[in-house]
Amino acid sequence: MRPKPIHLSLLSLLLFALCACSSPPPGPVALPAAWPEFTAAPGITAKLDAPREVAAKAALISARIVLTNTGTQPRTLSVPTPCDIEDWRLLDAAGHPVMAKHPETCSHEAQSRTLAPGASLQADVFLGLGPEGLRSGQHYTIDYRFWGQRAVAGFTAR
């Protein structure tokens, strides 16, 4: 006698339950004051285009980061893990950390990317904000790192 097959919907529900239990909670986390030191790569400029105003109850902020090799030699950018390609934190007007990218479990495989002279690398970025939102009328700074290169942009919550 052959056993009855498990229906795909039951299997899907079981897999969803297992994934939901093992996943980290969504959204940003509070960040300790210390953040790894920053060293700019020679000849690389980083620019973060972000809105000047953000709704105080916004769930996310969208922005664009652009790295450009302004030098005359190719530049290789390296980060220790794939999770370090993009990292961010949100600072209040006094420079204290308010939110940060949620920590990820990541393989320890260094990543690198080479930019030719005059070449640019860009990405659309989305910063998921916590349910507590932002304080209306307050100024904030996005401190963003892309391929280890730092860019900042300020905005006011409305």
Side-chain angles (χ1 to χ4, degrees), residues 3 21 79 129:
C21 292
V79 291
L129 304 177

Side-chain angles (χ1 to χ4, degrees), residues 40-158:
I44 299 291
T45 60
K47 183 177 180 197
L48 181 63
D49 288 322
R52 293 178 188 245
E53 292 188 351
V54 173
K57 296 296 179 189
L60 76 109
I61 298 171
S62 69
R64 174 168 284 176
I65 182 87
V66 179
L67 300 180
T68 304
N69 182 350
T70 59
T72 59
Q73 299 295 318
R75 296 288 178 204
T76 299
L77 305 173
S78 299
V79 291
T81 73
C83 297
D84 294 319
I85 292 171
E86 296 182 62
D87 200 1
W88 63 270
R89 64 184 187 164
L90 189 63
L91 309 171
D92 64 15
H96 298 110
V98 176
M99 294 180 205
K101 178 179 135 181
H102 195 280
E104 301 171 277
T105 303
C106 207
S107 63
H108 290 284
E109 297 174 29
Q111 304 290 302
S112 63
R113 179 92 183 240
T114 301
L115 279 179
S120 292
L121 176 62
Q122 68 180 9
D124 292 323
V125 298
F126 303 95
L127 289 72
L129 304 177
E132 66 279 358
L134 305 169
R135 294 182 63 198
S136 185
Q138 297 295 311
H139 183 76
Y140 295 90
T141 300
I142 302 168
D143 189 349
Y144 202 89
R145 292 188 188 180
F146 185 52
W147 283 97
Q149 302 309 295
R150 183 176 184 219
V152 295
F155 68 91
T156 301
R158 298 281 180 215

